[in-house]
Every structure is written in C-alpha cells, then in structure tokens.
Amino acid sequence: MSRQGDSPYLEFRNVSKAFGGLVAVNNVSFSLLKGEVLSIIGPNGAGKTTLLNLITGIWPLSKGEIWFKGQKMSGLPTYRICHLGISRTFQNLQLFTDLSVVQNVMVGCHTKAHSSLLEVMLRLGRARREEQELFDRAVEKLSLFGLEKKALAMPLSLPLRERKLIGVARALATEPELLLLDEPAAGLSVEEVRDFSQRILKLNEHGMTILFIEHRMEMVEGISTRVVVLNFGCKIAEGTFDEIQRNEDVVAVYLGGTQKEEA
Amino acid sequence: MKAMGNYWKWILPGVIILFLLLLPLWGSLYIMSIFIFIGLYGMAALGVGVLIGYAGQVNLGPNAFMLIGAYTSAILAVDYGISPWLGTLCGAILTGVIAYIIGRAILRLHGFILAVVTACVALVSYRLVCELEITRGVFGITRIPHYAIGGFVLNQEVHYYYLVLVVLAILYVVTSNLIKSRFGRGFMALNLFHGGSEVASEAVGLDVGKLKMQAFVVSAVYGSIGGSIYAHYVTCITPQPFDLWWGLVLMMMATIGGMRSVLGPLIGSGLYFGLKEIISLTGAIKMAGLETFVFGLIFVLFLIFMPLGVVQLPSMVRRRWGKKDVGTAS
C-alpha cells in the first residue's frame, strides 16, 4: 500500500489533558501519515500512555481535537473508535485470563459477526457458520505469530513474549488500519526485541500504520519512520531517529542536565 | 482408552436424564412438587448465573423478574381471560422490556453501587405489588387458570413436572449455545471478577454497555418464565414468594451450584430445596429461625471448600486422586 500523499492520517490538534491540577499532556500537536511507523518516546511520566488513552477515547480530552482520516474523532466512545479502524495493545497486556488464547483473539473478532442474540441462542445456520468463521479468523491471526499451536492454552501459562504477541493478535483481529502499541518491548530480552521488531516491520510492509510508545531505544531505532519526544506532557522534538539523537533538548532530557531541577 | 473415556463421560448425564424422565413412575406427588419448585427457581437461578457468573454484573434483586412474570401472566389470565401460554409470553416480553429500560439507566454503574440499586429496584417492585389495586395487594390473586393444550388441561403434578422439565431442557440448551457464542465470550471478557477488563473489551470494539444489557435482559426473561409457570402451577399467588429474601436465595443457589457453568445454578436450586425438605421432614430443627441459621452455615462451608460451586467437585476429585490431567483449567 502506498502513502496517500502527505495529508495527515491521524492528527493531534493542540491536545491537552489535565487530571485535576496535573497537566499530563500539554498542548501537543503532531500528525501521522498513512504507512508510517511513528514512535513516541520520553522519560517516565512524560504523558505517553495518556496520549494513547486519549486516542482510544478511554479518557476525554481537556482541550483540543484529534482527527482521523479527515474526521473529528475525539469524543467518540472507545468501541466506536475501534470500529473506525484503530486498535491497541496495553502495557500490562490486559488479556482476558479466564479465556483461552484463541478465545481472547475471537473477542477481537466480535464485531465481524452479525447474527443476533436470538439466532445465536437457537444456534441457527448463520450463527453456527459465523462462529466457525470467527474461530478460523482468530487462528489465522495467531498463525501470523506462529502461535496457532497455543490456541487452546490459557494465556497465563505462556511466557511473556507470547502473551505480548497474543495482545497484538487480539488487536489485529479487529482488522485495524492503525495499530497502537503501548511499550511492546518492555520486559523482553534483546533477541526477543529484535524478533518483535521484525514482526512489526512486516505488518507495516503489509500496509499497517503503526504508532508505538517505547523505552527501548534499540526498538525505536530499528523500526520508526519518525519519532516524537515528550517531556512533562509537552512535545520537545519531532523528526527521524538521527535528528532526534542530535537534538540538544532530547539529549538533556535523557542524560540529565538543565531540566533536572524541574522534577 | 480415549474412546472409553468419552463413553464414560456420557454415562452420568444419561443416568440423570433417565432418572428425571422416569421419576413420575414411582415418585409421589410430594416428590414431584419438590422437583417442580427446583425447576422453577432453577430457571431464575440460571438467569442469575448468566448475569453475575458470566457477565459479572451484580443484581441483588433477581426475584423482581419472577414477580413481574408471575403477576403479568396471572392478571392477564384472570382479568382478561388470555391464554396462560400467551400470558407467559407477554410476561417474558414485558419483563424483557422493563429490564431493558432499567438496565439502560443503571448498568453504567459499577460493583457495589449497581448491587444497591438493583436491590432497591426489587424492593420497589415488591412494594408496588403489595399496594396496587390491580395486583390485589398482600392477599394476592387466586383462581389462576392452568395451562391447557386444546381441551386438555394441565392440572396435575405430573403434567407440570414434564412441562418444567421440557422448559428447563430448552433453557439449558439455549444458554449453553449463548455461552459458547461470541456473546458469551463478550460477557466473560468484561467480567471484572474473572480476569476480564472493560477497558480492553472496549478497545477491541465491544460495545460493553450493550453486552451488559443483553445479559440483563436474558436473565430477566428466564426469571419471568419461571415466575409465570409458578403462578399457573400453584394457581394463587401472593407477593411473599417473590420478596427480597428469595432474591438472595436465587443468588445463593447460583453461587453454591457454580455460577460459571450452565448446570451449576440448577444443581444449586436442587441442593436448596433438597436441604430444606430434609430439615423440615426429619423435624431435626424445631426452633423457629434456626432453619435459616443452619442453611447459612451449610452454605458458608460449601463456599469455603468449593468457592466455584459444586460443579467444581469433579475437577477437584481428579486433581486430588485421579491421573495427571493437564486440561483441568476450565
């Protein structure tokens, strides 16, 4: 899939979010182009996860607007935003621990079936057919990550690396156009991060636009088209990884320096 | 070896089904009436299982649904001469609509607040039935007609026994289908008590409010059907068998039997009525009020040793004495 010119795909317009007196995100604007891999970095407490929660409508914005595909998106409920084509993973995964791996992914397919409650309860033809379709679809998503053999396992019995991939598979089950990842590499070994990065790049090659939050620089460096740097809720830099690396403000934030006393 | 295992798996259910089918051959009217009550309250308990066990939404007043079903069907039959079958259907529809309206208002609430509000709803509906003209207040409605098929009137214990058995079997199958479907998975995904997450559910596109509503309506309709059949079976109803105490009993049944299974609430209903009859038959307890105490005690013990209900028993036995089985997670 080719990029659609340079019109922004996801756009933050002067977005702010305050929790009481604490301003978690302060007047942030940036945009994301279709087909990009954008990473958001910043020290702890910089407002990165808040940013994701604002995109997915988990928290309402205090100020500003978020636009997606030329449509104002902020204010919609979370599930509607998902239906627009945005799906995400969570830093703490939030897998459904009482459901098996394939069922977790099947929950993500929920809206791909249309039979009504009554049809399902009476197990009419369409309901039965759709149930099989959901199962096949979920296994297909799992097989993207080589997890189809673990389909019937319970998520908590699997190692962290696989649980993270299940989270991604569940997000992909909603057939998103934009995938949001919240610290996908946290807790993984160096080889596992490399493997994970490869899989993300592959998704991107197949046309998925990706926005992710990360602490692990090896992953940020490896796959991002562009990087946005946040500190104390404000955007302090934006550009390619090389540009960011040479930015004095960013270096100061990461290596400690003039801004230290503000903490 | 494996075929053998599958073969054995069918023996116990087969024996139970055969036992239930043939029970009227030797069972007295008394035994049959106990089974009828087990079935009627079992229907409502099944609804409680779907709502609380699977969807994780607390409803402290499931008795209200039985009450609405019973009174709708009774009033339609006595005052308007409407067929009890149609009345039962009307009761189910009305209860579903009421559950929908109430649900829209309260299902946004969480945990404790939801529990308190549902209890209030049950209290209010009970109070209304006691006060209103159309429901005849505390004296209740008498001479409620029986069900009839053509000219054949279902006026004997054995008729109701089979009616309840058939309805229960239908509800059992329908509920199993529901739980194994995307809706059932949706319920479990948003159940905060069992590893679910509302935020994650919404993030992958589930309309959480709508799912909760669907569980609430299903649960309401089950209770209503139980209530309607109850009314036509006993032919006179007062508000008393639908008060808040019975709401708690319904939840007790579902919990004891195992709310996260379709069979559990029915087993729980059986345990409750079985225990109740044993206590009153043996005359073991003569002091008034002590019966409730004994009930409470026994149920607390059950929950301490089997927190997931009696349905947990086979897997407990297997884990303790049986062969090493990896697939006991469910």
Side-chain angles (χ1 to χ4, degrees), chain A residues 58 78-79 82-83 90 94-98 103 106-107 110-111 113-115 117 120-121 123 131 134 154 174, chain B residues 174 177-178 180-183 185 188-189 194-197 199-207 218 222 260 329:
Chain A
I58 290 171
T78 302
Y79 71 93
C82 175
H83 296 174
F90 292 86
Q94 302 226 20
L95 296 179
F96 310 123
T97 53
D98 254 29
Q103 283 177 324
M106 283 169 89
V107 170
H110 187 89
T111 46
H114 304 284
S115 44
L117 192 66
V120 161
M121 291 175 91
R123 219 170 142 67
E131 190 65 19
L134 292 193
M154 299 308 277
T174 67
Chain B
V174 161
N177 290 343
L178 176 69
K180 278 183 249 159
S181 75
R182 68 194 174 106
F183 293 100
R185 276 193 303 279
M188 290 185 257
H194 289 273
S197 156
V199 168
S201 302
E202 282 225 25
V204 295
L206 300 193
D207 185 345
V218 165
Y222 285 10
R260 275 172 86 75

Side-chain angles (χ1 to χ4, degrees), chain A residues 183-203:
Chain A
E183 298 214 12
L188 298 183
S189 73
V190 176
E191 296 91 76
E192 284 170 343
V193 170
R194 204 170 298 140
D195 174 69
F196 200 94
S197 302
Q198 284 311 312
R199 294 181 189 282
I200 298 302
L201 268 184
K202 211 163 163 192
L203 283 177

